[in-house]
Amino acid sequence: MSFRRFLIKRTAIAALLTLVAVSIIFATLRFLPSDPFSGLVASGSLTPEQVAELRAMYGLDEPIWVQYLKYIQNLFTFQFGLSLTQQRPVWSILGPALTNTLVLLLPALVTTAVVSSLAGMYAGWNRGSWFEKVGIISTTFFRATPIFVTGILLLIIFSYGLGWFPAFGMRSPIANPKGLTNTYISIDFLKHYILPFTATVLFYSGDFLMLARNSVVERKGSEFLKLHRAKGLSEMEQLARAGRNSLLPLVTYFALRTGMLFQGVITLEVVFAWPGIGRALVQAILNQDYPTVQAAVFIMALAVIVMNLAADIAYAKLDPTVEAGDV
């Protein structure tokens, strides 16, 4: 199968998965027992006539299939509409929140991938050493512990106990930064950043360490390393070559994990009150803010699917047997 045909097939699968994901969230919200305005009528804040006007304004009085078609059209043109509760464009809410999430998670993932992969290669090359044992036990412990539990432990020790770092938020209440530089490059931001960054690194370190370790273990007795050993290469030079040949699963896993970062971000952002897209989604769900929930889930699902597609393409490029076999 040609690479072009492989790419078309994988892209079509990705588009279908995106459609299924956004359709599920649309149906889930519409089948809830109440709508966003029911509470306002019950509390006396709005009359039934005023609620009817609001429902008409947001198109909630139209047939369900009309709502669905408009929803799909708006999502795929990135027109997310107005928030039901904040009365402003959804993108003005989710755009800054998404930036805050990426600022937190992408550096954490890159750091984890680089440091844990190098540590895993060294551990695999030195099987049975104390470094390997400590590395496996510690990273497995943090991987098995939910990320919000690790976050709470860090808060208890370093924020409430030692008082080294602030407990919540992305900046101090009195801080009023202007522009991206002042917002993300300051001592105040760094103090708020360290604990959620550390929790993320600890949670994902086990995956990369074990992948790199196992890959090096598999290659340690291979013929090509015996050849390099016979040529007189040092231990570190042999390890470097074994590590280079172990990059395929690591690169693929990095792409997959980048898309799936949002899976753990919701609880992490709630624990640290980090103003990211996960926390915005939770608040929107509590308020039954349909447009915001739909847009946030769409962005998260799209990230997962696009990065899965990127991983498939990278794997096919690095290992032509995948492209030839296909699925």
Side-chain angles (χ1 to χ4, degrees), residues 19 27 38 67 72 83 89 132 149 152 170 210 251 255 269 275 294 298 304:
L19 181 62
S38 302
Q67 293 184 43
I72 295 296
S83 163
E132 182 195 29
V149 174
I152 291 171
M170 201 173 75
M210 292 304 295
V251 170
E269 290 183 353
Q294 291 168 168
F298 171 70
V304 173

Side-chain angles (χ1 to χ4, degrees), residues 34-48 51:
S34 61
D35 65 31
F37 307 111
S38 302
L40 296 175
V41 176
S43 65
S45 301
L46 294 176
T47 65
V51 169

Side-chain angles (χ1 to χ4, degrees), residues 163-198:
W164 290 357
F165 303 105
F168 302 114
M170 201 173 75
R171 60 180 68 91
S172 302
I174 58 173
N176 187 26
K178 302 292 184 184
L180 291 177
T181 303
N182 289 334
T183 300
Y184 297 115
I185 302 176
S186 67
I187 298 298
D188 181 57
F189 173 78
L190 182 63
K191 289 180 178 177
H192 288 80
Y193 186 77
I194 287 177
L195 289 186
F197 174 85
T198 304

Side-chain angles (χ1 to χ4, degrees), residues 4 7 12 15 19 22 41 67 104 146 151 209 232 254 257 279 292:
R4 183 179 177 183
L7 183 60
L19 181 62
V22 298
V41 176
Q67 293 184 43
L104 170 63
L209 184 137
F254 180 82
R257 182 51 64 191
R279 189 158 169 258
T292 306

Side-chain angles (χ1 to χ4, degrees), residues 110-124:
V110 172
T111 301
T112 306
V114 173
V115 176
S116 298
S117 297
L118 292 176
M121 291 176 188
Y122 184 78

Side-chain angles (χ1 to χ4, degrees), residues 169-310:
M170 201 173 75
R171 60 180 68 91
S172 302
I174 58 173
N176 187 26
K178 302 292 184 184
L180 291 177
T181 303
N182 289 334
T183 300
Y184 297 115
I185 302 176
S186 67
I187 298 298
D188 181 57
F189 173 78
L190 182 63
K191 289 180 178 177
H192 288 80
Y193 186 77
I194 287 177
L195 289 186
F197 174 85
T198 304
T200 308
V201 170
L202 291 176
F203 182 72
Y204 291 113
S205 60
D207 295 346
F208 289 99
L209 184 137
M210 292 304 295
L211 264 178
R213 172 196 171 274
N214 294 340
S215 297
V216 169
V217 167
E218 290 175 3
R219 288 161 177 77
K220 192 172 181 181
S222 61
E223 294 298 325
F224 85 95
L225 279 184
K226 292 179 181 176
L227 178 62
H228 287 309
R229 194 175 300 115
K231 290 180 178 177
L233 267 63
S234 65
E235 285 284 313
M236 292 307 296
E237 289 172 329
Q238 293 176 46
L239 172 57
R241 281 161 175 75
R244 187 177 59 190
N245 289 339
S246 305
L247 288 180
L248 178 59
L250 291 173
V251 170
T252 306
Y253 186 75
F254 180 82
L256 291 173
R257 182 51 64 191
T258 303
M260 291 187 286
L261 269 180
F262 294 109
Q263 288 181 348
V265 73
I266 295 177
T267 54
L268 183 73
E269 290 183 353
V270 170
V271 167
F272 288 100
W274 189 266
I277 193 169
R279 189 158 169 258
L281 174 61
V282 172
Q283 292 173 338
I285 291 173
L286 294 175
N287 295 326
Q288 288 187 261
D289 189 345
Y290 291 171
T292 306
V293 173
Q294 291 168 168
V297 173
F298 171 70
I299 292 170
M300 292 180 173
L302 192 63
V304 173
I305 292 168
V306 168
M307 293 313 298
N308 270 279
L309 177 62

Side-chain angles (χ1 to χ4, degrees), residues 61-93:
D61 60 338
E62 295 177 326
I64 195 73
W65 65 271
V66 175
Q67 293 184 43
Y68 177 73
L69 291 178
K70 288 184 176 178
Y71 162 71
I72 295 296
Q73 180 183 4
N74 290 339
L75 280 187
F76 284 94
T77 55
F78 291 91
Q79 301 297 320
F80 299 129
L82 292 174
S83 163
L84 295 183
T85 55
Q86 300 190 36
Q87 304 298 312
R88 58 188 178 119
V90 168
W91 186 244
S92 71
I93 300 170

